[in-house]
């Protein structure tokens, strides 16, 4: 198995005259060893462990290594695990990496699952313009879906 087949980044880095090719090493400063281990294993066809928790770090590596397939798997994992308790953190990750699909899912979750009785920090949520836009679009669609009662 060749990393070039699984990552555009490695394809470019190893086929061009990049520093990584010359020195046969690369420095990764903003990732955990565990996230890197999972990303490399993914390149070898090994699934992300069920108990893996560092999805933000893994999404960072997927962006860095230009691995769309890994981004999709992480996005789906985050969307499936979305709860009221982790909503804000997941939304921040979605915004940070401009993950459109996850942003949309977070906006819909906010509209559909979070109610008046829930403790939610709106001051933090309004700092997430893309999630708020998705929320607004979902809210608008919700209003359009309402059928007026005839008297």
């Amino acid at each position: 198995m060749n990393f070039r087949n699984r990552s555009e980044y490695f394809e470019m880095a190893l086929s061009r005259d990049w520093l990584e090719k010359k020195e046969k090493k690369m420095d990764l400063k903003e990732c955990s060893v565990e996230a890197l281990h999972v990303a490399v294993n993914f390149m070898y066809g090994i699934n992300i462990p069920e108990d893996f928790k560092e999805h933000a770090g893994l999404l960072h590596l997927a962006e860095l290594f230009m691995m769309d397939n890994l981004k999709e798997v992480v996005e789906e994992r985050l969307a499936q695990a979305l709860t009221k308790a982790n909503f804000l953190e997941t939304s921040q990750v979605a915004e940070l990496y401009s993950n459109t699909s996850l942003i949309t899912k977070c906006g819909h979750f906010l509209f559909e699952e979070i109610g008046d009785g829930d403790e939610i920090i709106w001051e933090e949520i309004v700092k997430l313009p893309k999630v708020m836009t998705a929320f607004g679009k979902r809210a608008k669609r919700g209003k359009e879906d309402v059928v007026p009662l005839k008297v």
Side-chain angles (χ1 to χ4, degrees):
M1 210 295 295
N2 187 333
F3 281 167
R4 293 179 193 201
N5 299 333
R6 296 288 197 147
S7 165
E8 272 186 66
Y9 174 84
F10 285 110
E11 170 66 30
M12 290 187 294
L14 297 174
S15 65
R16 294 189 171 92
D17 201 23
W18 285 16
L19 185 61
E20 289 86 351
K21 182 178 179 183
K22 288 179 184 176
E23 294 186 3
K24 296 184 181 177
K25 71 175 186 173
M26 61 188 306
D27 288 326
L28 296 171
K29 297 177 183 172
E30 295 185 22
C31 77
S32 72
V33 172
E34 185 178 4
L36 181 59
H37 180 74
V38 170
V40 170
N41 280 347
F42 190 85
M43 288 184 215
Y44 282 105
I46 299 169
N47 291 330
I48 300 168
E50 290 299 319
D51 61 344
F52 183 74
K53 302 287 184 220
E54 293 184 44
H55 291 96
L58 197 53
L59 197 53
H60 168 72
L61 289 171
E63 285 283 329
L64 178 68
F65 295 150
M66 296 183 239
M67 296 172 61
D68 290 336
N69 54 347
L70 180 57
K71 280 192 275 189
E72 290 171 10
V73 171
V74 173
E75 168 207 306
E76 190 58 36
R77 281 268 186 104
L78 287 170
Q80 288 176 353
L82 196 57
T83 64
K84 292 175 184 178
N86 69 15
F87 167 78
L88 186 58
E89 179 184 351
T90 301
S91 295
Q92 290 167 336
V93 167
E95 288 257 349
L96 178 64
Y97 295 105
S98 296
N99 189 302
T100 306
S101 179
L102 189 55
I103 287 167
T104 300
K105 290 173 183 171
C106 288
H108 289 199
F109 184 87
L110 179 60
F111 179 81
E112 295 164 5
E113 302 295 329
I114 297 180
D116 292 338
D118 294 315
E119 288 190 34
I120 191 83
I121 306 169
W122 286 101
E123 294 81 16
E124 292 299 315
I125 293 174
V126 297
K127 294 178 185 174
L128 303 168
K130 295 172 187 171
V131 171
M132 289 303 296
T133 299
F135 169 75
K137 286 179 181 177
R138 176 60 186 92
K140 183 176 184 237
R141 193 179 84 221
K143 288 181 181 180
E144 292 169 353
D145 290 344
V146 175
V147 179
L149 296 174
K150 291 185 180 181
V151 181

